[in-house]
């Protein structure tokens, strides 16, 4: 692999990992806040916190990968 492809791969992987961490953390915190409210809704009780966290992690992964691709595309256009 040449140097540019390695850098692009590193950018996509690092942004995706960051997105997974942030998305999972945000979803987990949202689930916990939902259960700590004074009036707990039935929607809050029926959703599985683990499943909600996994959904947040997958959303974060896609957002991170998309951001990395967008940044790489923008840098490529400037060169």
């Amino acid at each position: 692999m040449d140097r540019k492809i390695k850098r692009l791969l590193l950018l996509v992987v690092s942004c995706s990992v960051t997105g997974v961490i942030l998305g999972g953390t945000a979803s987990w915190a949202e689930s916990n806040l939902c259960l700590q409210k004074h009036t707990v809704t039935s929607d809050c009780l029926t959703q599985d916190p683990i499943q909600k966290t996994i959904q947040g992690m997958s959303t974060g992964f896609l957002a991170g990968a998309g951001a990395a691709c967008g940044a790489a595309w923008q840098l490529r256009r400037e060169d």
Side-chain angles (χ1 to χ4, degrees):
M1 269 194 260
D2 67 331
R3 187 178 217 166
K4 287 185 180 184
I5 292 176
K6 286 182 182 179
R7 286 176 43 194
L8 175 64
L9 186 61
L10 180 63
L11 177 68
V12 171
V13 168
S14 62
C15 287
S16 297
V17 168
T18 303
V20 166
I21 292 169
L22 291 176
T25 304
S27 293
W28 184 261
E30 184 180 341
S31 295
N32 286 340
L33 286 176
C34 180
L35 293 173
Q36 292 176 358
K37 290 183 180 177
H38 291 290
T39 56
V40 179
T41 62
S42 62
D43 184 43
C44 180
L45 294 174
T46 57
Q47 61 181 323
D48 182 23
I50 301 297
Q51 184 180 9
K52 185 79 172 163
T53 302
I54 292 171
Q55 287 175 347
M57 291 170 76
S58 62
T59 302
F61 174 77
L62 292 175
C69 290
W73 182 267
Q74 184 66 29
L75 287 173
R76 184 174 171 220
R77 291 187 69 204
E78 288 179 3
D79 287 342

